[in-house]
Amino acid sequence: MGKRVLSGVQPTGNLHIGNYLGAIRNWVETQGEYETFFCVVDLHALTVPHDPQLLAVHTRTTAALYLACGIDPQRSTIFVQSHIPAHAELAWLLNCITPLNWLERMIQFKEKAIKQGENVGVGLLDYPVLMAADILLYDTDRVPVGEDQKQHLELTRDIARRFNDQFGETFKIPEPLIRAEGARVMSLQDGTVKMSKSDPSDMSRINLLDDPDTIAKKIKRCKTDAIREITYDPHRPEAMNLLTLYQVLGNKTREEVEKDCSQMRGWGDFKTALTEVVISHLAPIQQKYKEVMKEQGYLEEIIRSGTAKAEAVASHTLARVKQALGLWLKAGHPASWEQFLPT
Ligand code: ATP
Ligand code: LTN
């Protein structure tokens, strides 16, 4: 069996260049080397207050954007998490072996719980266990994600190890795949917080589907600092962020960027150059997205066949887990309980 990759994005809004650089762009690159599974994690999107109509739309647009960004349905298995009940089912089984205090320590839970106020749903706390289920169901070797998901990946590894210790070798231990550049794209309005779909201000992010005028406006108004020279300096979060975007989306090396910047007179020049780079990088993605959205039948067929392929793998793993836990398997699975009968 080849090595496997699995990852997913929540359909909680419009995908932005942070999702693209931190995750999807790296998924595309794994396609030659690994057996790849990419899902739209709609059950995760239920952990924050949501509008059902928008969820339905965003689940489709997210899947379409996977294709537009270069996920090839011939080489990758693309599916929607809720179409495969094994995800929710394994999450329950893992819940029963996961210590509560492991979940209470999660940074994302603490941050999102504060935003939700008094009525924090159980799902928000349990979110990383569902994510562990997504990953462990596919005997995943590598999980390409942005920096913010590192702690959840560590938790997935801890849950898998704990299960293996208590019930015998059942799960493969997955590893994160986090690229140095673009793993943490920051908000356009504050270089110290990450760009996010759920930031109330649309000006804080560049969405993959923003039109050229919107992109120009957002970059023009984005926060910079008072220093005229544009240099990579870890003490200048806004400069670091914008330079990284220019470098990665422009396919340049750091040295090339430094050379470009040495000829600029200040932030005005830089913003003009960055706007061009962003618009031209996103144009082919937007074009492909339009084509995919016009062919809903094609999209449905990709999801249908992806679900069938993913389900075959997932149901196999789930049966293995149930057996390890001592659950009574439905007919068709070899029985192993007789040897444990009291004599
Ligand atoms: P939300 O605001 O709803 O939590 P999000 O924008 O943080 O959404 P997710 O669906 O949680 O996006 O993340 C999808 C993928 O994109 C993950 O691999 C995550 O690490 C990555 N990602 C999200 N935001 C960024 C960012 N600002 N920079 C780099 N990667 C990111
Ligand atoms: N929690 C992830 C989304 C996610 C995921 C996964 C990523 C859910 N299940 C499995 C990788 C593998 C996030 O990016 N917010």
Side-chain angles (χ1 to χ4, degrees):
M1 190 183 75
K3 294 213 164 198
R4 292 214 178 109
V5 150
L6 176 132
S7 196
V9 170
Q10 310 179 77
T12 39
N14 300 318
L15 264 59
H16 50 76
I17 53 173
N19 301 131
Y20 176 67
L21 295 179
I24 303 174
R25 173 185 65 130
N26 306 326
W27 303 358
V28 174
E29 286 176 6
T30 62
Q31 290 184 112
E33 206 183 325
Y34 295 89
E35 190 184 349
T36 41
F37 292 81
F38 299 115
C39 57
V40 181
V41 290
D42 55 348
L43 297 174
H44 278 101
L46 304 179
T47 60
V48 289
H50 80 286
D51 171 340
Q53 283 166 358
L54 273 181
L55 176 63
V57 170
H58 286 145
T59 304
R60 279 170 188 270
T61 54
T62 302
L65 273 171
Y66 287 4
L67 298 173
C69 290
I71 302 301
D72 173 2
Q74 302 294 332
R75 295 195 287 169
S76 292
T77 304
I78 306 169
F79 63 100
V80 175
Q81 185 189 35
S82 68
H83 292 179
I84 303 184
H87 288 250
E89 208 176 337
L90 180 60
W92 172 258
L93 304 178
L94 298 179
N95 273 336
C96 297
I97 65 131
T98 305
L100 183 58
N101 65 1
W102 286 8
L103 300 179
E104 286 166 340
R105 282 205 293 264
M106 293 294 112
I107 296 163
Q108 186 183 290
F109 168 70
K110 290 192 231 173
E111 285 174 357
K112 290 198 174 178
I114 291 171
K115 284 189 202 149
Q116 276 192 25
E118 301 231 317
N119 288 315
V120 176
V122 175
L124 191 66
L125 180 69
D126 204 25
Y127 174 115
V129 179
L130 178 60
M131 177 166 165
D134 298 340
I135 296 167
L136 299 176
L137 266 182
Y138 297 89
D139 290 328
T140 304
D141 294 279
R142 305 281 250 152
V143 186
V145 282
E147 176 78 33
D148 62 312
Q149 295 302 310
K150 206 170 167 184
Q151 195 186 30
H152 289 160
L153 248 300
E154 207 40 66
L155 182 87
T156 300
R157 289 161 59 85
D158 289 342
I159 292 174
R161 284 199 207 98
R162 186 176 169 94
F163 191 103
N164 290 351
D165 286 348
Q166 291 185 4
F167 304 103
E169 282 303 309
T170 306
F171 291 124
K172 201 169 214 181
I173 310 296
E175 278 179 35
L177 192 68
I178 300 174
R179 274 259 221 125
E181 252 110 31
R184 194 169 169 78
V185 176
M186 309 313 276
S187 158
L188 295 183
Q189 294 181 323
D190 180 350
T192 64
V193 305
K194 83 166 186 124
M195 186 177 283
S196 151
K197 281 184 243 120
S198 52
D199 190 314
S201 168
D202 197 55
M203 292 300 283
S204 69
R205 60 184 163 259
I206 294 173
N207 302 308
L208 295 182
L209 299 175
D210 279 345
D211 61 45
D213 287 347
T214 307
I215 293 170
K217 190 174 78 188
K218 286 178 176 176
I219 294 178
K220 198 166 181 196
R221 300 218 191 128
C222 81
K223 187 172 173 217
T224 54
D225 56 25
I227 304 169
R228 197 150 156 259
E229 286 77 39
I230 301 160
T231 55
Y232 286 92
D233 176 350
H235 301 296
R236 298 174 62 191
E238 284 82 16
M240 283 302 278
N241 191 40
L242 297 176
L243 281 165
T244 305
L245 291 180
Y246 182 75
Q247 179 183 329
V248 183
L249 293 173
N251 271 327
K252 290 177 188 263
T253 63
R254 199 169 158 143
E255 291 68 38
E256 285 168 332
V257 175
E258 279 166 344
K259 188 159 169 275
D260 288 357
C261 289
S262 67
Q263 281 147 20
M264 294 178 189
R265 282 162 302 167
W267 282 112
D269 284 0
F270 179 82
K271 285 183 170 184
T272 308
L274 177 62
T275 302
E276 257 170 52
V277 163
V278 174
I279 291 172
S280 61
H281 194 101
L282 295 186
I285 295 176
Q286 297 181 350
Q287 178 58 33
K288 179 86 201 283
Y289 172 82
K290 277 190 204 136
E291 289 162 19
V292 174
M293 285 303 279
K294 267 193 242 145
E295 299 281 345
Q296 284 298 314
Y298 168 69
L299 186 59
E300 297 234 348
E301 178 48 31
I302 287 170
I303 297 296
R304 198 199 54 74
S305 78
T307 305
K309 272 202 257 167
E311 183 133 50
V313 179
S315 61
H316 205 255
T317 314
L318 187 64
R320 197 169 78 217
V321 177
K322 287 183 173 176
Q323 188 154 25
L325 288 170
L327 293 169
W328 182 347
L329 294 182
K330 284 196 283 190
H333 286 286
S336 61
W337 57 274
E338 280 156 326
Q339 57 183 304
F340 302 113
L341 269 182
T343 47

